[in-house]
């Protein structure tokens, strides 16, 4: 485990350097690099080496095996009674408690959004390719769901902001849905639960949110959105509604808001 942690940490440091060198390139590229750093925590190098060893041919012995006395003694010990199982180390209990705490925290947030979705009602949005629902929950508009995502929209949004602002916000949400940002965010949430004690894991999560929001912002403006109208729409959503509680419920108010508005 110690080897796996320092290897993953060094790998993430190389990813951070690569993202710095690619800071003028596409945010989506940097997003995938940070996701690779996250998934590296779930896949140790030793596992990859063992998987590769299974494809190596096994040499066959040309003659019948001849057992020595030492080998016979080793075989006999395999049938000896098993020693008592060692006690579970204290760090395993601490780690398990942390995993359960993170899962309970995320599960509670998920249930909050799931209740809002169940109580929501369909709404027709022209030219929007995924189902849209209106909810009485005071949350920002956002994409909810991993396999069959839907757009959750607070009921008063259509009267609270202008038509141009609404169009830009919907374009932002559609960008999240097209790139399956909820699904990749859920993968990182698994990493957060398993390695909750590592501060680098939480920092990677912040970088993932920042890069995906930056990419969606750039996509809205590249499609012809007016920058001032779009920024005003984001600020109005922040003023009227609470942010989405989960990283895998992609909204419009995430990441460093001041930096996004400046950009």
């Amino acid at each position: 485990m110690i080897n796996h942690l320092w290897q993953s940490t060094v790998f993430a440091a190389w990813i951070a350097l690569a993202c710095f060198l690619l800071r003028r390139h596409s945010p989506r590229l940097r997003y995938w690099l940070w996701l690779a750093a996250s998934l590296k925590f779930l896949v140790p190098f030793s596992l990859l080496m063992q998987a590769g060893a299974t494809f190596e041919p096994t040499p066959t012995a040309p003659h019948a095996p001849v057992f020595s006395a030492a080998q016979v003694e080793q075989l006999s010990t395999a049938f000896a009674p098993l020693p008592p199982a060692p006690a579970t180390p204290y760090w395993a209990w601490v780690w398990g408690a942390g995993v359960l705490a993170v899962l309970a925290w995320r599960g509670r947030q998920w249930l909050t959004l799931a209740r809002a979705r169940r109580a929501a009602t369909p709404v027709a949005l022209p030219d929007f390719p995924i189902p849209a629902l209106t909810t009485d929950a005071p949350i920002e508009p956002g994409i909810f769901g991993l396999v069959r995502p839907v757009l959750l929209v607070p009921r008063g949004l259509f009267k609270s902001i202008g038509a141009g602002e609404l169009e830009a916000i919907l374009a932002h949400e559609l960008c999240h849905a097209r790139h399956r940002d909820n699904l990749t965010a859920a993968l990182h949430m698994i990493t957060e639960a398993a390695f909750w004690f590592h501060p680098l894991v939480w920092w990677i999560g912040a970088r993932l949110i920042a890069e995906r929001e930056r990419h969606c912002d750039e996509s809205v403006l590249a499609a012809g959105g007016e920058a001032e109208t779009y920024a005003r729409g984001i600020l109005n959503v922040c003023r009227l509604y609470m942010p989405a509680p989960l990283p895998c419920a992609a909204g419009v108010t995430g990441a460093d808001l001041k930096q996004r508005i400046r950009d």
Side-chain angles (χ1 to χ4, degrees), residues 38-154:
S38 170
L39 297 181
K40 171 60 192 73
F41 278 89
L42 299 178
V43 184
F45 281 131
S46 58
L47 183 61
L48 297 176
M49 295 175 62
Q50 291 176 4
T54 59
F55 295 97
E56 295 180 359
T58 303
T60 56
H63 304 289
V66 178
F67 294 98
S68 63
Q71 291 173 324
V72 172
E73 183 179 356
Q74 292 177 358
L75 288 173
S76 63
T77 57
F79 298 94
L82 295 176
T88 304
Y90 72 92
W91 61 263
W93 293 105
V94 175
W95 173 79
V99 171
L100 292 177
V102 173
L103 291 177
W105 171 46
R106 293 302 195 189
R108 182 179 179 183
Q109 294 173 329
W110 181 271
L111 289 176
T112 300
L113 291 175
R115 284 193 295 266
R117 177 176 179 174
R118 285 194 300 268
T121 56
V123 61
L125 292 179
D127 301 325
F128 202 77
I130 66 174
L133 307 172
T134 57
T135 175
D136 291 324
I139 58 174
E140 65 172 318
I143 301 296
F144 177 71
L146 303 180
V147 180
R148 293 187 295 272
V150 299
L151 173 68
L152 278 179
V153 182

